[in-house]
């Protein structure tokens, strides 16, 4: 709830105006039954048409004013709620974009998506209701009670007995609402996770004829969320029938006792009509407060989930250069005795378990400007993890990583990452033109862009497409082949003329001829860059300055291609399997 109030403070003036207008509208609604009672009991008996029309016109004018004020207040409330939810989504997106790899893993992508969508919508609905229902309902409740006490204290005693009972029931039930709705949102995370996996892997699902299997898996996740939602809604709906029963009992008592008092001359008939209207307003207020608590329970659970992300502290502080050690050599990139492990983390990115199996152990290598490093090894041996540590998506557990003579921990993240041109495994092609996919918001002129396209061996296929660089790629490059996507992504990496070029298994879909032409263009036109190439094929890395051979997170070979053929049995075996002979 603190998040909601904190977000509303930026628009306090507009929210105050909306609440004030809603207050005036509610007061106008309360005045209508009083005018009706005065008209029936005091004006009509005078039999003066002019007065009847005057008070009747006043009643109509009050009704119209209440309607217009309610429309104005509701419109302002919607506008304010959208502004608040916009800010919350922007802040949540910004925070998510700056989470470290460990923190991102801790929350999980499906959970972050549901917090950005359904949770932020619940906050928006809450902000809107706080300006409308939370203003109108209490005024109807307490204003109606006050009006009935002024009209007839004896009859108002019925309300004074019923209302506290109803409020006690609402408050008691609402205590259980927040954890129940939090559970609903957590189950929604599971639905989003399953749906995302199925949509992303729909081709695999179809080719393996596992559509029915995935339907059952999704149904299980959906059922789990539905049952949690039904439980939460059922618990929060408990006061409804009880309140309706109390309303009917109260109305019956009002009619019965009111009739007795009218017959006895204690009150006039108009008072009974007004009293019945006020009684309905009071009951409407109580039931509205029940809906408010239901909405607040849901919104509070959602706000807490959003605040978990917004309040997480960075686990990757920028250290002053004086606090970091100096590298042992003058190489542009240097790893010194680097260890790293993935593991279970909390939302702050801190490890929460006992002992973790090392993903990388005692990794050492160095690259000068213009030199290249090939990394090769079996799947899961830690090749991509080296890149993740180099770009500081994660921090090493021990050892040091240096770029351009500085520990990576001493760089601002943007300053460090501007040095890189990277193509990751399964990298993203966005729903945009090829030109904008390559440029990606950077100030890159057309000449540099075309040079990158040519170096990536992409100019021939791009020119064959309708519109060339203005050809629009579908989401994830669905209308491009695997090789076309990889060349487009390599063009993006080269276009910024990076100091460090990282190609993570980025040529797996390319034929040997295109792969060779690509590597030749990189070595000829990007001589100042330090290049790291992760590959499964020996032919892709054999011309690198040095090659790092990994197995189970450990370096089992390091050196040139020819040196590794002599000293590293594992590399020699890979070469024999792929090339069919030894050099």
């Amino acid at each position: 709830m603190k998040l909601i109030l904190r977000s509303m403070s930026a628009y306090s003036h507009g929210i105050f105006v909306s609440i004030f207008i809603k207050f005036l509208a509610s007061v106008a609604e309360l005045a209508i039954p009083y005018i009706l009672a005065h008209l029936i009991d005091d004006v009509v008996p005078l039999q003066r048409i002019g007065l009847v029309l005057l008070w009747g016109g006043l009643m109509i004018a009050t009704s119209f004013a209440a309607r217009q004020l309610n429309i104005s207040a509701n419109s302002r409330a919607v506008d304010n709620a959208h502004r608040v939810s916009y800010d919350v989504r922007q802040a949540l997106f910004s925070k998510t974009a700056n989470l470290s790899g460990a923190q991102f893993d801790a929350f999980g992508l499906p959970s972050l998506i549901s917090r950005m969508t359904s949770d932020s919508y619940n906050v928006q609905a809450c902000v809107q209701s706080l300006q409308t229902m939370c203003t109108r309902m209490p005024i109807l409740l307490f204003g109606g009670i006050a009006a009935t006490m002024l009209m007839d204290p004896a009859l108002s005693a019925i309300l004074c007995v019923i209302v506290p009972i109803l409020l006690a029931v609402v408050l008691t039930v609402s205590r259980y609402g927040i954890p129940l709705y939090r559970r609903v949102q957590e189950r929604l995370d599971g639905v989003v996770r399953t749906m995302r996996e199925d949509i992303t892997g729909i081709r695999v699902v179809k080719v393996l004829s596992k559509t029915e299997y995935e339907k059952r898996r999704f149904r299980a996740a959906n059922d789990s969320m539905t049952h949690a939602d039904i439980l939460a809604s059922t618990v929060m709906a408990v006061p409804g029938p009880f309140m309706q029963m109390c309303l009917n009992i109260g109305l019956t008592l009002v009619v019965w006792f009111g009739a007795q008092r009218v017959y006895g001359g204690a009150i006039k008939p108009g008072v009974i009509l007004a009293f019945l209207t006020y009684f309905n307003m009071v009951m409407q207020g109580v039931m509205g407060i029940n809906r408010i608590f239901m909405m607040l329970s849901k919104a509070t659970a959602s706000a807490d989930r959003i605040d978990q992300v917004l309040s997480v502290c960075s686990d990757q502080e920028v250290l002053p250069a004086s606090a970091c050690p100096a590298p042992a050599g003058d190489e542009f990139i240097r790893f010194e005795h680097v260890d790293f492990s993935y593991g279970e983390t909390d939302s702050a990115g801190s490890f929460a378990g006992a002992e973790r199996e090392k993903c990388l152990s005692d990794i050492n290598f160095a690259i000068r400007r213009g030199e290249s490093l090939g990394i090769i090894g079996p799947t899961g041996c830690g090749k991509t993890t080296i890149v993740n540590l180099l770009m500081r998506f994660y921090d090493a557990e021990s050892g040091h990583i240096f770029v351009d003579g500085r520990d990576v921990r001493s760089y601002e993240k943007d300053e460090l990452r501007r040095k890189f041109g990277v193509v990751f495994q399964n990298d993203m092609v966005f729903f945009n033109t090829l030109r904008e996919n390559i440029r990606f918001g950077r100030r890159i002129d057309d000449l540099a862009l075309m040079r990158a396209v040519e170096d990536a061996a992409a100019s021939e296929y791009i020119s064959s497409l309708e519109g060339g660089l203005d050809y629009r790629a579908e989401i994830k490059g669905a209308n491009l082949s695997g090789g076309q996507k990889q060349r487009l992504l390599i063009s993006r990496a080269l276009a910024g003329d990076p100091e460090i070029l990282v190609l993570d298994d980025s040529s797996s879909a390319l034929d040997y001829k295109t792969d060779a032409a690509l590597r030749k263009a990189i070595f000829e036109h990007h001589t100042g860059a330090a290049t790291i190439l992760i590959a499964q094929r020996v032919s892709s890395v054999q011309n690198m300055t040095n090659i790092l051979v990994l197995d189970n997170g450990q370096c089992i070979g390091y050196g040139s291609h020819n040196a590794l053929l002599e000293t590293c049995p594992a590399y020699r075996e890979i070469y024999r399997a792929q090339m069919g002979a030894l050099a």
Side-chain angles (χ1 to χ4, degrees), residues 51-74:
L51 282 177
V52 172
L53 293 176
L54 175 64
W55 282 94
L58 178 61
M59 187 172 173
I60 293 173
T62 304
S63 299
F64 181 77
R67 174 183 176 276
Q68 293 303 113
L69 289 169
N70 274 318
I71 291 174
S72 177
N74 292 344

Side-chain angles (χ1 to χ4, degrees), residues 266-344:
I267 56 175
K268 297 178 181 180
V271 172
I272 290 295
L273 289 177
F275 201 100
L276 290 174
T277 304
Y278 280 128
F279 190 92
N280 277 313
M281 285 185 176
V282 170
M283 290 299 104
Q284 184 181 356
V286 175
M287 297 182 74
I289 288 176
N290 178 50
R291 291 197 298 274
I292 289 171
F293 274 102
M294 184 183 298
M295 176 271 301
L296 284 176
S297 298
K298 183 181 294 187
T300 300
S302 291
D304 287 345
R305 282 164 47 83
I306 292 174
D307 208 31
Q308 284 177 355
V309 180
L310 296 181
S311 61
V312 67
C313 296
S314 173
D315 61 342
Q316 293 184 317
E317 297 182 5
V318 177
L319 302 179
S322 59
C324 299
D330 59 352
E331 294 86 358
F332 188 57
I333 298 173
R334 188 176 187 87
F335 273 54
E336 291 183 359
H337 306 292
V338 172
D339 292 349
F340 177 75
S341 304
Y342 292 105
E344 295 295 327

Side-chain angles (χ1 to χ4, degrees), residues 78-91:
V78 169
D79 183 62
N80 292 330
H82 277 286
R83 291 174 185 270
V84 169
S85 65
Y86 175 87
D87 288 349
V88 168
R89 282 193 296 270
Q90 285 293 113

